[in-house]
Amino acid sequence: MELKICHLYPDVLNLYGDRGNILCLRRRLEWRGLGFSLTELPLGGGDALGAFDLVFIGGGQDFEQTVLLEDLRRGRGADIRSAVEDGMPFLCVCGGYQLLGRSYRTADGQECPYIGALDLYTLGSEDRLIGNYVFQLEPEDGGSLVIGFENHGGRTYLGSGVRPLGRVRKGYGNNGEDGTEGARYKNVFGTYSHGPLLPKNPAFCDRLLACALERKYGRADLEPLEDAAEEAARAGMLARLGAD
Ligand code: GLN
């Protein structure tokens, strides 16, 4: 078994080491004797997403998010929408999460018409939501606590066509008001959590891998791994954040 992973827009959406998530996907496959390959698709990259088994999109600053618009219009937007509808697993972080929605109005009033693959929209604000945070995945995704780091001016509001990825225990999440964090639709996982999201949350990483393996092979035999170091780090961080 092998997963072909695509990193979309690594040239522009590349904040805070979001790329570490790909290393984590790789290691957790290889530790189980499963194969991995990575393709980076920058702006203007030709391949259609349908050739892959899982797509990762990281976060970016407002400027880069406007630079992308032309590429989305030239066809990548339609390609993402059709991959989403076809059940492709996506992990999308912050700016990458916002761009799957309908639109983003930046804090200085620029309108970014996005692709509407997910029923949500984002309004920017100068007042940023920053810090380590904790949210709980919904039961259908295993219900584990996810420890993340958020830094966004955008406030995201979910429409009726998507579910939240989780419920905020500590921190802000989508908008700091309604207690939701991220979005789930088909096999898309959108989140505000930057940086080493998956290394800090092995159960969430395995949930994503399972989605991709089940879609490709009809089953996902993920043997448990020895996660003692990860669990110790998580316990320390949950205690520090008062979310244990
Ligand atoms: N520029 C967007 C915002 O501030 C996304 C930021 C990010 O990806 N960290 O909301």
Side-chain angles (χ1 to χ4, degrees), residues 5 14 45 60 62 68 76 96 117 123 142 156-157 165 203 218 223 231 236:
I5 295 182
N14 53 13
D62 286 6
L68 287 171
R76 183 61 76 194
L123 300 177
T156 294
Y157 298 92
L165 173 65
E223 309 157 15
E231 289 309 329

Side-chain angles (χ1 to χ4, degrees), residues 4-6 39 41 47-55 88 215:
K4 292 185 195 146
I5 295 182
C6 170
T39 301
L41 277 187
D47 310 21
L49 296 180
F52 302 101
D53 304 314
L54 190 152
V55 178
M88 174 75 67
R215 176 170 178 267

Side-chain angles (χ1 to χ4, degrees), residues 24-90:
C24 186
L25 291 164
R26 173 178 199 156
R27 291 285 182 265
R28 294 186 76 80
L29 285 167
E30 290 178 348
W31 285 334
R32 292 165 163 128
L34 304 173
F36 163 95
S37 72
L38 176 66
T39 301
E40 298 198 337
L41 277 187
L43 283 179
D47 310 21
L49 296 180
F52 302 101
D53 304 314
L54 190 152
V55 178
F56 174 74
I57 316 177
Q61 302 175 75
D62 286 6
F63 173 70
E64 281 82 10
Q65 289 179 263
T66 58
V67 166
L68 287 171
L69 290 170
E70 182 54 26
D71 198 68
L72 292 174
R73 263 195 301 269
R74 270 205 231 114
R76 183 61 76 194
D79 182 36
I80 296 173
R81 274 197 305 274
S82 98
V84 166
E85 286 304 312
D86 199 33
M88 174 75 67
F90 278 78

Side-chain angles (χ1 to χ4, degrees), residues 13 15-16 18 58-63 65 93-96 98 104 122-125 128 150-155 192 194:
L13 296 179
L15 284 181
Y16 301 127
D18 287 342
Q61 302 175 75
D62 286 6
F63 173 70
Q65 289 179 263
V93 174
C94 202
Q98 294 170 350
Y104 175 38
T122 304
L123 300 177
S125 162
R128 302 186 71 78
E150 59 185 328
N151 181 357
H152 49 112
R155 269 71 168 164
Y192 268 113
H194 267 296

Side-chain angles (χ1 to χ4, degrees), residues 28 31 199-200 202 224-236:
R28 294 186 76 80
W31 285 334
K200 288 194 288 196
L225 295 174
E226 199 273 287
D227 286 329
E230 289 87 341
E231 289 309 329
R234 285 171 56 77

